[in-house]
């Protein structure tokens, strides 16, 4: 008998809420990046594990596995006080992690989590690429779990790793098709010779953004009520065609946009900067060719495991991207009903 994915996750949530809160609190001891400037997924992946049915014991074990595998480091010591008057002066300064954590913890205590997010996120949104979109991820999960502590850390993370790829100038959009924005990246020769300082995803994004040819990308897309759905469908098709690590973030990112919606009443701005970020990754993905509608439909008709089986396999995995992709695909499947989400999750886990 097939069990609905939401049924299994709801049952497990009631059983392990205390264990989850304990594990996530432990995860906050560690810096949001580990050497060298790689994103610490632990707090978010613990939530994904929990919602896919992992036990308290698995959450605790995963904390130590993740710490040991990645060499997590403690939060660095404070440097100086950050206030509401000077907080913008230190954007993108990773060494100010402790100072930003203290500032945003006080702001969340003063205003409340959602009011603080509503106040600061519009100012941070042009830097949605921060830490290769993982500050955005942390805010999305903080919103989903309604956590004051995670909200303050997410705001601090976003500020200290802030990465603008080009601020909107309000130019007239040239298309309402997200695919045409990505297609633009195939044209300029400059995008075929991007040389970042290090082999880091956010370094690559930054190197692309420094090319003058990239400047118009942020304003190309006309944002309409159906644009998020079109972006989600295209992101899914892109990942299904490539199974690429960068394209994976397009699928998870469309889920994070939905999660963060209560804190982003202006839906156009997050989507605009998110799609700019994905466009910056087109050269990194290798200028991919999308599959035909018939090929995508064939994958949808592939015999696939059901979501409880996918969850059972996922929670045994230690790779954070196995867990992030599976959870986001499951949540997007519940929302959109597209079996291609089931296909990509099963493919990621080698179940098909």
């Amino acid at each position: 008998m097939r069990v609905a994915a939401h049924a299994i996750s709801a049952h497990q949530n009631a059983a392990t809420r205390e264990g989850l809160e304990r594990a996530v609190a432990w995860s906050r001891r560690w810096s949001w990046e580990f050497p060298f400037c790689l994103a610490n997924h632990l707090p978010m992946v613990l939530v994904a594990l929990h919602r896919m049915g992992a036990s308290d014991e698995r959450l605790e074990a995963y904390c130590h596995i993740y710490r040991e595998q990645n060499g997590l480091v403690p939060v660095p010591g404070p440097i100086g006080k950050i206030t509401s008057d000077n907080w913008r002066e230190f954007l993108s300064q990773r060494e100010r992690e402790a100072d930003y954590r203290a500032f945003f913890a006080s702001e969340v205590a003063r205003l409340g989590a959602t009011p603080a997010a509503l106040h600061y996120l519009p100012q941070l949104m042009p830097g949605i690429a921060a830490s290769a979109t993982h500050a955005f991820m942390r805010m999305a999960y903080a919103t989903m779990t309604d956590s004051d502590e995670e909200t303050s850390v997410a705001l601090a993370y976003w500020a200290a790793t802030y990465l603008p790829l080009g601020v909107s100038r309000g130019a007239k959009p040239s298309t309402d098709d997200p695919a045409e924005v990505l297609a633009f990246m195939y044209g300029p020769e400059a995008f075929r010779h991007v040389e970042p300082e290090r082999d880091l995803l956010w370094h690559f994004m930054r190197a692309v953004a420094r090319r003058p040819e990239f400047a118009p990308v942020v304003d190309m897309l006309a944002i309409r009520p159906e644009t998020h759905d079109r972006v989600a469908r295209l992101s899914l098709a892109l990942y299904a065609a490539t199974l690429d690590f960068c394209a994976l973030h397009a699928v998870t990112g469309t889920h994070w946009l939905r999660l963060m919606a209560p804190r982003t009443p202006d839906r156009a701005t997050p989507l605009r900067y998110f799609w700019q970020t994905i466009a910056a990754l087109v050269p990194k993905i290798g200028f991919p060719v999308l599959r035909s509608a018939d090929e995508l439909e064939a994958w949808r008709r592939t015999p696939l495991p059901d979501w409880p089986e996918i969850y059972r396999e996922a929670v045994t995995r230690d790779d954070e991207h196995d867990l992030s992709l599976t959870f986001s695909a499951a949540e997007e499947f519940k929302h959109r009903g597209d079996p291609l989400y089931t296909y990509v999750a099963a493919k990621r886990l080698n179940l098909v």
Side-chain angles (χ1 to χ4, degrees):
M1 173 173 136
R2 187 178 291 268
V3 180
H6 65 82
I8 185 171
S9 60
H11 172 74
Q12 295 292 347
N13 282 348
T16 63
R17 182 177 180 86
E18 233 179 68
L20 173 66
E21 291 177 352
R22 184 168 58 249
V24 173
W26 183 86
S27 75
R28 280 195 293 274
R29 297 181 185 181
W30 309 103
S31 177
W32 48 53
E33 290 182 333
F34 53 86
F36 179 79
C37 294
L38 296 169
N40 175 1
H41 292 66
L42 182 57
M44 298 79 81
V45 169
L46 288 169
V47 174
L49 276 166
H50 167 70
R51 297 209 174 196
M52 291 190 292
S55 67
D56 288 359
E57 291 76 19
R58 171 61 174 152
L59 296 184
E60 183 175 352
Y62 189 80
C63 283
H64 298 289
I65 290 167
Y66 194 85
R67 178 193 175 189
E68 291 169 11
Q69 284 184 344
N70 294 295
L72 300 187
V73 294
V75 177
I79 293 175
K81 187 176 179 62
I82 289 178
T83 69
S84 57
D85 293 327
N86 69 6
W87 75 274
R88 295 175 192 82
E89 295 177 20
F90 309 107
L91 294 177
S92 309
Q93 296 185 18
R94 282 170 162 76
E95 66 273 17
R96 303 304 296 265
E97 176 174 353
D99 303 328
Y100 271 120
R101 282 187 183 235
F103 170 66
F104 282 110
S106 68
E107 288 297 274
V108 167
R110 181 175 70 88
L111 300 171
T114 294
L118 287 167
H119 178 72
Y120 286 103
L121 281 177
Q123 302 168 80
L124 292 169
M125 203 55 67
I128 201 170
S131 194
T133 74
H134 292 96
F136 163 40
M137 179 189 189
R138 194 151 185 177
M139 176 56 73
Y141 275 73
T143 305
M144 177 175 63
T145 58
D146 194 25
S147 167
D148 287 7
E149 295 84 0
E150 281 299 297
T151 297
S152 67
V153 173
L155 287 167
Y157 186 8
W158 203 317
T161 61
Y162 183 76
L163 181 60
L165 302 182
V167 176
S168 171
R169 300 171 183 174
K172 184 179 179 180
S174 57
T175 181
D176 64 358
D177 185 353
E180 290 191 9
V181 178
L182 301 191
F184 168 81
M185 299 298 296
Y186 291 63
E189 186 66 21
F191 297 146
R192 298 182 182 273
H193 307 284
V194 177
E195 297 182 3
E197 296 166 13
R198 287 177 178 261
D199 187 23
L200 289 168
L201 206 53
W202 66 270
H203 276 220
F204 189 91
M205 295 173 186
R206 186 175 65 183
V208 170
R210 285 173 173 168
R211 303 297 174 107
E213 295 88 345
F214 190 72
V217 169
V218 68
D219 288 317
M220 283 182 175
L221 187 61
I223 310 292
R224 296 175 178 161
E226 71 279 5
T227 303
H228 189 160
D229 288 338
R230 296 183 72 177
V231 163
R233 288 194 298 271
L234 178 56
S235 297
L236 178 59
L238 179 65
Y239 181 66
T242 63
L243 300 179
D244 182 88
F245 171 75
C246 299
L248 180 153
H249 289 81
V251 175
T252 54
T254 55
H255 175 219
W256 304 339
L257 286 171
R258 279 202 310 108
L259 290 179
M260 214 165 66
R263 293 175 175 177
T264 50
D266 166 18
R267 304 295 172 83
T269 300
L271 186 54
R272 178 174 307 286
Y273 285 111
F274 170 70
W275 204 237
Q276 177 199 40
T277 299
I278 299 304
L281 293 173
V282 166
K284 185 74 169 173
I285 299 171
F287 303 97
V289 176
L290 291 178
R291 300 301 183 94
S292 68
D294 288 344
E295 288 177 288
L296 295 176
E297 192 56 36
W299 288 334
R300 290 184 175 98
R301 293 196 300 267
T302 303
L304 296 169
D306 60 18
W307 281 104
E309 181 180 345
I310 292 171
Y311 282 0
R312 284 193 293 273
E313 176 61 27
V315 300
T316 70
R317 300 300 185 95
D318 294 337
D319 184 290
E320 62 262 54
H321 293 101
D322 288 351
L323 296 165
S324 173
L325 184 278
T326 301
F327 178 62
S328 284
E331 294 298 296
E332 289 295 276
F333 173 76
K334 293 176 200 175
H335 181 69
R336 303 180 190 281
D338 187 342
L340 196 57
Y341 284 108
T342 316
Y343 173 81
V344 298
K347 190 75 173 173
R348 175 80 193 186
L349 300 174
N350 299 314
L351 295 175
V352 293

